[in-house]
Amino acid sequence: MPVPTDRRYTESHEWCKVEGDQALIGITQYAADQLTDITFVDLPEVGSAVSAGEPFGEIESVKSASDLNTPVSGEVLAVNDALADGPGVVNSDPFGGGWMIRIRLSKPEQVDRLQDAATYEASLPE
């Protein structure tokens, strides 16, 4: 699956799609493929604050459990409640229906520190 060019990426395989003063956040197809069958996603409460580089939740699969790190700082406006009953959508549609949280950006300049699609894609193992 090609890496979408309409968002920015972290070295730990999270993505951030900026929409005005908000950002949608999830994990990349590469991360979902490495985890294999995702069985559980723990997300923060709406209204909580998240900080760039810090965990905002946890994701579990049949293989392992991993922290989900926030690419940018802000306030959680929404969480993808559909993941509670169907976390496997992260495997099948990580850039769409598998989104995790929507935040209001508190430091929009942090987006500029993230990788663009070409840089992120070049960093992936062959």
Side-chain angles (χ1 to χ4, degrees):
M1 169 179 265
V3 175
T5 58
D6 64 347
R7 53 202 82 199
R8 304 294 289 242
Y9 300 88
T10 67
E11 291 178 10
S12 57
H13 310 290
E14 288 87 13
W15 57 261
C16 171
K17 182 179 181 184
V18 176
E19 300 170 335
D21 69 343
Q22 299 179 13
L24 207 56
I25 296 170
I27 66 169
T28 65
Q29 183 71 59
Y30 176 80
D33 290 348
Q34 295 302 302
L35 287 165
T36 65
D37 295 327
I38 295 169
T39 57
F40 178 74
V41 180
D42 181 35
L43 299 173
E45 295 289 323
V46 170
S48 59
V50 293
S51 297
E54 297 295 319
F56 69 83
E58 189 174 280
I59 190 165
E60 297 177 9
S61 72
V62 294
K63 266 174 89 168
S64 66
S66 301
D67 283 337
L68 295 164
N69 295 311
T70 312
V72 289
S73 300
E75 175 191 354
V76 178
L77 299 175
V79 298
N80 188 348
D81 291 328
L83 300 182
D85 294 327
V89 72
V90 176
N91 290 112
S92 61
D93 190 16
F95 294 116
W99 68 275
M100 296 180 178
I101 62 174
R102 176 180 295 279
I103 67 168
R104 175 172 291 110
L105 296 166
S106 60
K107 298 180 180 178
E109 68 277 6
Q110 291 175 332
V111 174
D112 296 334
R113 298 186 205 142
L114 301 174
Q115 298 175 349
D116 62 21
T119 304
Y120 175 72
E121 198 163 24
S123 76
L124 297 175
E126 294 286 325

